[in-house]
């Protein structure tokens, strides 16, 4: 089950559970759309996977399966992220 993390790991922007701005990779690294697409160019700086929009959990399901309250704030080294993006951006995610 997804943790539904509450913030962007790079810029610390709040990403409430109903946010359309939240992007995740297959390891649930969580970023806002600006960081995921514009800064990291759809290449996760941690695992080199791609990003997809995080699904929204309904309030009824949040009551039953609470979302994470643990904030992860770990700004990435932009030079390393740029190297990673340059290396993988042109390779389709299924071929990385």
């Amino acid at each position: 089950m997804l943790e539904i993390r509450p913030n962007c790991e790079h810029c610390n922007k709040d990403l409430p559970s109903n946010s359309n701005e939240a992007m995740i990779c297959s390891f649930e690294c969580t970023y806002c759309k600006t960081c995921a697409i514009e800064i990291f160019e759809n290449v996760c700086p941690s695992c080199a996977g791609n990003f997809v929009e995080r699904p929204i959990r309904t309030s009824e399901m949040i009551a039953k399966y609470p979302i994470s309250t643990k904030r992860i704030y770990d700004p990435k080294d932009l030079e390393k992220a740029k190297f990673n993006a340059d290396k993988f951006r042109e390779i389709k995610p299924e071929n990385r």
Side-chain angles (χ1 to χ4, degrees), residues 5 11 16 23 47-48 65 80 87:
R5 298 176 184 168
C11 73
M23 304 290 286
C47 71
Y65 304 102
K80 286 182 182 177
K87 183 177 178 182

Side-chain angles (χ1 to χ4, degrees), residues 43-91:
V43 177
C44 178
S46 300
C47 71
N50 65 306
F51 292 104
V52 296
E53 289 185 13
R54 182 182 69 194
I56 295 174
R57 188 173 298 164
T58 64
S59 54
E60 181 179 309
M61 289 293 108
I62 289 173
K64 190 172 182 177
Y65 304 102
I67 60 174
S68 177
T69 57
K70 180 181 177 188
R71 296 181 75 86
I72 298 173
Y73 178 53
D74 183 23
K76 303 305 177 205
D77 178 323
L78 295 181
E79 190 174 307
K80 286 182 182 177
K82 174 78 170 128
F83 176 81
N84 209 27
D86 288 347
K87 183 177 178 182
F88 293 106
R89 134 178 96 242
E90 299 300 323
I91 301 170

Side-chain angles (χ1 to χ4, degrees), residues 7-52:
N7 63 302
C8 175
E9 293 180 28
H10 182 68
C11 73
N12 208 27
K13 177 180 180 177
D14 288 336
L15 296 171
S17 62
N18 63 349
S19 175
N20 290 319
E21 292 294 311
M23 304 290 286
I24 59 172
C25 74
S26 66
F27 289 96
E28 289 190 70
C29 297
T30 303
Y31 297 95
C32 66
K33 278 188 179 176
T34 300
C35 289
I37 304 304
E38 294 177 22
I39 295 175
F40 301 128
E41 302 180 57
N42 198 32
V43 177
C44 178
S46 300
C47 71
N50 65 306
F51 292 104
V52 296

